[in-house]
Amino acid sequence: MDVVQLDRLQFALTISFHFVFPAVTIGLAMLIAIVETLRWWTKRDIYDRLSVFITKLFAVTFVIGVVSGIVMEFQFGTNWSRFSGFVGDIFGVPLAAEGISAFFLESAFVGIVLFGRNRVGSTLRWIAGLLVFGGTTLSAFWILVANSWMQTPAGFKIVTDSSGAQKAQMTDFFQAMFNPSTLPRFFHTVTACYVVGAFFLMGVCAWYVLRGRGSDVTSFALRLSVAIAFLGAGGMFATGDLQTREVQANQPLKFAAMEGVCQTANGVPLDLIAIPPSQNCSTGTGLGISIPYGLSAMSDLNPNGQIKGLDQQPDQSLWPPVAETFMSFHLMVGLGAMMMLLMLVGVFFWWRHALEKHRWWLWLAVIAIPAPIIATEFGWMTAEVGRQPWIVQGLMMVSAGTSPSVSATDVTISLIGIVLLYALLFFLWIYGLTREIRRGPELAPGEHALAPPVAVGPHEGGVTPATGKAGR
Amino acid sequence: MSLATVWFVFIGLMLTGYAILDGFDLGVGALHLFVARNDRERTQVLNSIGPVWDGNEVWLIASGGALFAAFPHAYATVFSGFYLAMVMLLGALIVRATSIEFRGKETARIWRAGWDLGFALGSIAAVLLFGIALGNVLRGIPIDPDGGYRGGLVGLLNPFAISIGVLALGLALLQGSAWLVLKTEGPVQDRARWTGGFALFLILAAWIAASGLGWSDARRVFDNFGSLLAWAAPVLTAAVMVLMVMAWRARQDGRSFLFSSLAVLGMAATAGLALYPNLVPAVDVSRSVTIDNAHSSDTALTLLLMVGLIGMPIVIGYTAFIYWKFKGKVRLDEAGY
């Protein structure tokens, strides 16, 4: 592989790995904020115990997100120095703002959330929970500003600097920050993170019920997470619709690849499941289920409306990888539909007072824990693969953005190191989560779970399950 | 003073904030195996930095973001040029962070010993790499016409850069010792008093070595010290070091930490003066990355300055508040590792 391919592989690997953790932490931080608010308001012990439990799951995830995030912050410079020089004037602002306004906030107050239970008062603990939630969501906003500018650049001009290199220079802050795709992508991504968090807690609570370890805490948490997962799954379709329309308007080739439309036509069907078109569109979508006139009807609100195909761009070298874009998009939507179905059934059972009685549904809820995470990853693949071959849409090619002084050997070495280290991190994450989940939330005084929590011996300075004084 | 120069100072201050704050928890990591001999002591040491180390590390991330925004070419040149060193640095930071977080999760000896080692080696490696990178930047690097540096890892290991690496390690050990003396009691505190003394000697030795090696091998470092005013920084630093020694001997723990932090500030100011107006001086001076040729547009710099001037006082305010909330000696009976 040449150095561009290696750089891309490394970036794809590190970003896909990293994104799992912010998605989970943003979702869990939202749940912590809700439960902390209830605890602060009602002073009821059940919310205290639930908050401490979610905090433990949050803590294990947060640390992996932090360490894999440092790599992201520096990788623009290490592997994409020409890209960094080109976009720094615009891209750097949200990145710096993210550090100053969001990272400091969440990392400072996470100390209080995790270590302060006996050090600070009830109100400060609640405020710290809210600030961590605010910080995580704010950081999502800033990084999406930066990424959206790569998709739909705005508010800039191209200038030539003293060394003769071209670079983008900011002319209008608000146009650059709120470029056409910023808000639709922010809403869609952040809603996705909330769904990830809700599915996570829902699956964990379902597991407790299945294992006979249900308690007042899990019972409440199950209902809370079902409610949020249901609303969130609905929200995904609404924000997804918004975003797809934005893509159709601003990145028409990406849209054509997502929907597998080769030729511009009227009355285009909507492919639900299909074999994607070949890269040069010599064969179109085949062998699948489709809704006649569906895509035209959805996108144009007119069954005979015209949909622009990949052929709008005669130069095929400027097409994104069609099959990858098509498949990742359809897998995301398909997973989303299945999650929606699961939540409809869940809400129905809840309404019939039978949420904890249908074991098959509870098992599905357990299995569904990774579903929104995977769907989110497919969503990002759609967005990023669909932007190819551009690193900044229409302005700079991916191959023009790499670091001239970094060789293929260098990247191979770093790639091997990163794969090994990230495998360890992933193992540690799963281990840490499993450990906290097996211990479970504290029980109310006098309450007995059917299966005793697994006691990992409290050692000197270790953790004591009975008092929940575990740190991160 | 131009807007870009303001940003040179601002980023310098952010990096100094990082060096002071993460300096002490990196130092704690480097001292970990030595000052804490049994499991209880090691937990005590870890809990002393538990609520704050993550916030300290954000100073690095924010500085990186600010450098990217204000001087994209400097960010791009250094990070791509020092590629493998950067990757090793990131690896070291990852290993030490996971060591802090996962050590306490099992009681098996081998588990804890492994993470203890990871915490110590990761911290030491990170400090040395920071120092060596800074040493090379100060010395000036051969930059190719395309803006790249192709010296590789070996090219970074010159005597001057190594002496700066050792100096950085000495400062981190001093910061870590001062922190531990402040936050712990008993045998750990006693050993930290000893390591602080050792760190003072190490700093003195490295400072003399760096000056000598700089004169012979990195003469450009002295370029700005033709003016008497520039000497204020190293002279004041030396004065702070004397005060530090006096406070350390008098066991004035709070003052020791203050003077130690001021010493870091003084060293950083000296380095900043030696660098100005370059960000990454090149051997062929015409290829140097300077404040003038690397800065972002005034629009971006003004915006950033607003973000920084509004944001950083708030950050410093709540960071101070959190340190105050966790003030006093570490207690092992509460939330911790």
Side-chain angles (χ1 to χ4, degrees):
Chain A
M1 270 193 284
D2 66 356
V3 68
V4 178
Q5 295 298 320
L6 285 164
D7 280 329
R8 287 182 63 194
L9 183 61
Q10 179 168 313
F11 200 89
L13 187 85
T14 47
I15 193 70
S16 328
F17 180 83
H18 172 66
F19 191 75
V20 172
F21 304 96
V24 175
T25 40
I26 290 168
L28 291 181
M30 181 224 26
L31 291 164
I32 291 172
I34 293 176
V35 177
E36 272 291 302
T37 305
L38 290 169
R39 176 195 63 76
W40 177 77
W41 186 255
T42 65
K43 307 269 183 284
R44 281 181 60 198
D45 174 61
I46 172 178
Y47 301 125
D48 187 33
R49 286 178 284 130
L50 178 57
S51 159
V52 168
F53 177 63
I54 304 175
T55 302
K56 287 179 190 169
L57 302 178
F58 174 88
V60 177
T61 313
F62 185 75
V63 64
I64 311 280
V66 167
V67 296
S68 58
I70 305 177
V71 177
M72 300 317 307
E73 183 87 10
F74 292 130
Q75 205 172 185
F76 302 115
T78 53
N79 293 66
W80 304 94
S81 70
R82 283 181 294 172
F83 163 77
S84 301
F86 181 74
V87 300
D89 204 78
I90 292 162
F91 202 80
V93 175
L95 239 59
E98 181 184 29
I100 290 171
S101 70
F103 287 158
F104 275 122
L105 197 67
E106 58 186 29
S107 66
F109 285 96
V110 102
I112 289 196
V113 170
L114 302 179
F115 288 82
R117 199 185 182 196
N118 303 318
R119 279 260 182 174
V120 303
S122 169
T123 304
L124 178 56
R125 201 179 133 203
W126 167 60
I127 292 173
L130 291 186
L131 288 174
V132 170
F133 165 56
T136 52
T137 296
L138 195 59
S139 95
F141 172 75
W142 287 116
I143 203 65
L144 278 161
V145 164
N147 184 272
S148 295
W149 192 84
M150 293 164 67
Q151 310 280 351
T152 52
F156 68 99
K157 64 177 182 206
I158 301 291
V159 297
T160 308
D161 72 5
S162 53
S163 68
Q166 288 203 319
K167 61 180 189 179
Q169 203 172 72
M170 191 186 295
T171 53
D172 185 320
F173 172 69
F174 282 97
Q175 275 183 23
M177 296 298 113
F178 294 94
N179 62 67
S181 64
T182 301
L183 287 179
R185 302 178 78 235
F186 171 69
F187 293 137
H188 194 55
T189 311
V190 164
T191 312
C193 296
Y194 298 156
V195 172
V196 166
F199 266 71
F200 197 97
L201 186 63
M202 180 174 79
V204 169
C205 291
W207 186 79
Y208 286 130
V209 175
L210 286 166
R211 296 297 300 264
R213 285 177 62 186
S215 63
D216 57 341
V217 170
T218 60
S219 188
F220 169 75
L222 185 62
R223 280 160 180 78
L224 175 69
S225 46
V226 165
I228 295 171
F230 174 67
L231 293 175
M236 286 315 287
F237 281 92
T239 56
D241 179 67
L242 195 68
Q243 195 185 332
T244 313
R245 284 175 203 285
E246 176 275 312
V247 172
Q248 187 183 13
N250 298 306
Q251 292 178 290
L253 283 179
K254 185 198 278 188
F255 177 77
M258 279 158 62
E259 303 286 6
V261 182
C262 282
Q263 273 90 36
T264 304
N266 294 329
V268 178
L270 179 71
D271 290 313
L272 297 180
I273 301 171
I275 294 172
S278 62
Q279 181 61 35
N280 59 10
C281 272
S282 57
T283 58
T285 53
L287 269 183
I289 306 167
S290 61
I291 303 172
Y293 303 101
L295 189 60
S296 287
M298 261 180 90
S299 307
D300 215 33
L301 303 177
N302 166 14
N304 280 314
Q306 191 192 58
I307 302 290
K308 285 211 161 105
L310 285 159
D311 61 354
Q312 66 188 288
Q313 171 56 264
D315 182 356
Q316 290 198 358
S317 68
L318 296 179
W319 290 7
V322 178
E324 287 90 331
T325 312
F326 179 90
M327 282 196 291
S328 47
F329 176 67
H330 279 78
L331 286 166
M332 171 189 77
V333 176
L335 274 169
M338 285 195 275
M339 290 189 279
M340 188 72 232
L341 200 61
L342 182 72
M343 294 328 299
L344 283 171
V345 175
V347 168
F348 175 75
F349 285 163
W350 186 1
W351 174 59
R352 300 295 302 267
H353 301 288
L355 188 56
E356 296 180 31
K357 288 180 189 144
H358 297 277
R359 293 183 70 84
W360 63 269
W361 186 86
L362 293 168
W363 273 119
L364 283 177
V366 175
I367 295 166
I369 290 178
I373 301 177
I374 297 168
T376 315
E377 294 278 346
F378 280 131
W380 272 107
M381 278 178 218
T382 311
E384 300 292 280
V385 174
R387 193 197 58 228
Q388 304 294 324
W390 302 99
I391 195 165
V392 181
Q393 182 79 47
L395 297 178
M396 185 185 224
M397 291 280 197
V398 171
S399 54
T402 54
S403 303
S405 61
V406 175
S407 68
T409 319
D410 289 338
V411 186
T412 309
I413 294 170
S414 61
L415 199 51
I416 292 170
I418 285 170
V419 167
L420 293 175
L421 204 52
Y422 279 22
L424 173 72
L425 289 180
F426 190 75
F427 161 78
L428 285 170
W429 183 53
I430 299 294
Y431 154 80
L433 285 179
T434 316
R435 177 176 178 272
E436 297 303 345
I437 291 169
R438 284 168 70 181
R439 292 180 157 197
E442 286 169 55
L443 298 170
E447 191 184 3
H448 295 284
L450 293 177
V454 179
V456 177
H459 198 62
E460 289 160 319
V463 283
T464 320
T467 52
K469 285 171 181 169
R472 304 198 249 180
Chain B
M1 199 154 59
S2 76
L3 198 52
T5 309
V6 171
W7 265 99
F8 178 81
V9 176
F10 199 88
I11 289 175
L13 286 175
M14 286 187 73
L15 282 169
T16 309
Y18 173 71
I20 290 173
L21 293 174
D22 216 29
F24 78 71
D25 69 57
L26 284 162
V28 164
L31 293 165
H32 185 55
L33 292 178
F34 182 79
V35 294
R37 299 288 173 80
N38 61 39
D39 193 61
R40 189 181 170 77
E41 289 174 1
R42 288 190 177 163
T43 310
Q44 184 187 6
V45 164
L46 276 179
N47 283 356
S48 78
I49 59 167
V52 295
W53 73 265
D54 181 33
N56 295 345
E57 210 160 277
V58 172
W59 285 80
L60 177 66
I61 299 176
S63 307
L67 184 66
F68 190 175
F71 302 106
H73 281 299
Y75 167 86
T77 306
V78 175
F79 288 16
S80 65
F82 297 176
Y83 186 78
L84 288 177
M86 285 302 303
V87 172
M88 284 164 66
L89 173 64
L90 294 173
L93 290 174
I94 291 176
V95 167
R96 84 180 272 280
T98 36
S99 300
I100 297 172
E101 295 300 322
F102 284 91
R103 179 188 183 276
K105 297 209 184 291
E106 295 288 336
T107 53
R109 278 187 92 124
I110 180 136
W111 174 272
R112 295 207 163 181
W115 291 124
D116 282 337
L117 200 64
F119 182 37
L121 294 182
S123 304
I124 294 169
V127 176
L128 283 174
L129 285 163
F130 277 126
I132 290 172
L134 176 64
N136 278 291
V137 170
L138 285 171
R139 182 169 172 260
I141 54 175
I143 296 179
D144 293 337
D146 64 3
Y149 161 76
R150 291 184 174 78
L153 260 185
V154 184
L156 298 179
L157 297 176
N158 55 77
F160 174 73
I162 291 173
S163 73
I164 299 291
V166 175
L167 184 60
L169 184 63
L171 284 168
L173 292 178
L174 187 65
Q175 280 286 86
S177 304
W179 174 260
L180 285 174
V181 164
L182 209 54
K183 299 297 284 188
T184 62
E185 297 160 305
V188 173
Q189 194 191 31
D190 294 341
R191 290 187 206 113
R193 286 194 196 285
W194 191 90
T195 56
F198 170 76
L200 284 166
F201 279 107
L202 191 64
I203 291 167
L204 186 66
W207 180 260
I208 293 169
S211 307
L213 289 166
W215 190 254
S216 66
D217 182 39
R219 190 66 66 88
R220 71 149 303 281
V221 170
F222 292 92
D223 285 357
N224 281 343
F225 290 93
S227 95
L228 214 55
L229 204 62
W231 281 94
V235 169
L236 282 175
T237 309
V240 168
M241 289 301 294
V242 172
L243 290 171
M244 169 75 208
V245 173
M246 285 162 62
W248 194 253
R249 288 176 61 99
R251 303 203 163 185
Q252 293 166 323
D253 300 340
R255 279 190 187 194
S256 295
F257 188 72
L258 176 69
F259 287 132
S260 173
S261 302
L262 286 176
V264 176
L265 173 66
M267 300 269 184
T270 309
L273 275 170
L275 208 53
Y276 182 86
N278 298 287
L279 292 157
V280 192
V283 173
D284 174 352
V285 181
S286 69
R287 291 184 197 149
S288 290
V289 182
T290 65
I291 295 178
D292 263 351
N293 69 23
H295 71 80
S296 287
S297 66
D298 280 357
T299 320
L301 290 179
T302 310
L303 272 167
L304 280 169
L305 198 64
M306 275 164 25
V307 172
L309 288 182
I310 297 168
M312 287 317 290
I314 300 174
V315 168
I316 291 169
Y318 61 63
T319 306
F321 171 73
I322 283 165
Y323 274 83
W324 177 72
K325 272 285 164 194
F326 287 97
K327 70 179 186 295
K329 304 283 181 191
V330 180
R331 300 194 298 255
L332 277 188
D333 59 334
E334 58 180 285
Y337 291 110

